[in-house]
Amino acid sequence: MNTKFKITAAVLSAGLIITPLSGLVQNNQNVAKADNTVVKEQNKKKYINHINYIDSQIHLKNNQLVMNKDKIYKYLKQNWLEINVNDNYKSPEEYLSNIEVAITAMNEKVASGWYKFDKEKGMIQKYQSREWINGYERYEKWWGFQYYARGAAGEQLARDFEDAAEKRAWGAGALGTVGVFSGGIGIPLLVIFTGFTTTQFYSIATKVRRHISSYGTVKVSVYVSGSYYTVEPIQ
């Protein structure tokens, strides 16, 4: 009886020891996840701030985009590690070249008469069919895309992001085929968009619906080379 009691007591004691330790491990994992989320959010804010600065050095003059190449190049070199977050580019020179190519492509499209600049230097088709675009507006930027939706159009935008999640290839659906950072040849940017996960696309769709429900409007900005996005009400 004494032996059995000792064994039982030992097992119970072990259980009391193991349980707190396992809880401690779980707590540590939760803290690590929280810290990782904070770091990711900080990196995202830094990246978007960098893009905003570069964008501030690109101006619309005589209906054409003109860039301050020297200032942008200097800025790229100073902040290269934070800007080239996914190691998509070998050097600041390559990144700068891609910006030039994207801007040139946009200027050529506008010069053709079929496109126009709007929404703070974003480009949109002049005669874009609202039926084709499912009621929301899509603007091309040198750094990616912006989508604006109001009311019922928000649901269609959410569905299109879900469609993108399934296809994992923009250009095959309504979200668009453009030449941002690709030489302006109008092909799907499969290499760049592989940075976006299926989970991210579904997450955008969910946030679009929440914003439409809460505010009645939604603006989605997608930064293709950084694989970041923001969802907010239209101001």
Side-chain angles (χ1 to χ4, degrees):
M1 293 293 293
N2 289 339
T3 301
K4 289 182 179 180
F5 178 79
K6 289 179 180 179
I7 293 174
T8 302
V11 170
L12 289 173
S13 297
L16 291 173
I17 293 172
I18 292 171
T19 300
L21 285 176
S22 63
L24 181 61
V25 170
Q26 181 64 47
N27 287 338
N28 287 339
Q29 289 176 339
N30 290 338
V31 170
K33 287 181 180 178
D35 289 343
N36 188 44
T37 300
V38 171
V39 170
K40 285 183 176 179
E41 191 62 28
Q42 289 174 342
N43 290 339
K44 174 181 174 179
K45 289 180 179 179
K46 288 179 182 178
Y47 177 83
I48 293 176
N49 285 337
H50 291 318
I51 294 299
N52 288 340
Y53 174 81
I54 295 172
D55 211 25
S56 73
Q57 300 304 313
I58 300 172
H59 307 283
L60 194 58
K61 183 178 180 180
N62 297 326
N63 206 34
Q64 292 279 279
L65 292 178
V66 179
M67 61 186 289
N68 189 328
K69 186 175 178 178
D70 292 338
K71 279 193 175 182
I72 293 175
Y73 180 51
K74 181 179 179 180
Y75 189 82
L76 287 172
K77 289 195 295 182
Q78 291 173 341
N79 302 279
W80 181 237
L81 293 180
E82 292 181 353
I83 293 173
N84 192 34
V85 288
N86 290 332
D87 293 324
N88 286 328
Y89 303 96
K90 296 178 182 178
S91 65
E93 291 81 7
E94 182 184 9
Y95 195 95
L96 181 66
S97 176
N98 275 274
I99 296 176
E100 288 185 282
V101 168
I103 288 176
T104 298
M106 292 172 71
N107 284 337
E108 289 176 351
K109 285 185 176 182
V110 170
S112 73
W114 291 94
Y115 293 81
K116 64 180 180 179
F117 287 116
D118 200 357
K119 298 289 185 186
E120 298 176 359
K121 296 171 293 189
M123 186 181 70
I124 189 172
Q125 290 182 17
K126 258 187 184 179
Y127 310 105
Q128 180 170 271
S129 167
R130 293 189 68 82
E131 290 75 23
W132 178 79
I133 202 62
N134 297 319
Y136 57 80
E137 297 174 317
R138 185 191 72 227
Y139 293 86
E140 301 174 23
K141 301 276 191 172
W142 65 267
W143 46 259
F145 303 84
Q146 280 187 330
Y147 302 88
Y148 292 76
R150 293 174 172 81
E155 175 58 29
Q156 186 58 56
L157 179 59
R159 291 178 183 176
D160 284 344
F161 273 109
E162 289 172 339
D163 179 63
E166 295 173 4
K167 294 178 179 177
R168 286 297 309 279
W170 287 19
L175 289 178
T177 305
V178 297
V180 180
F181 274 87
S182 71
I185 55 180
I187 60 174
L189 304 181
L190 301 183
V191 175
I192 292 178
F193 284 120
T194 55
F196 280 85
T197 65
T198 299
T199 301
Q200 281 178 301
F201 284 130
Y202 280 123
S203 177
I204 295 174
T206 298
K207 290 178 180 179
V208 166
R209 289 192 174 99
R210 287 176 181 171
H211 277 70
I212 288 295
S213 176
S214 298
Y215 307 103
T217 67
V218 67
K219 171 186 172 184
V220 181
S221 302
V222 181
Y223 301 84
V224 292
S225 66
S227 301
Y228 292 124
Y229 69 87
T230 60
V231 182
E232 58 190 321
I234 297 175
Q235 299 298 323

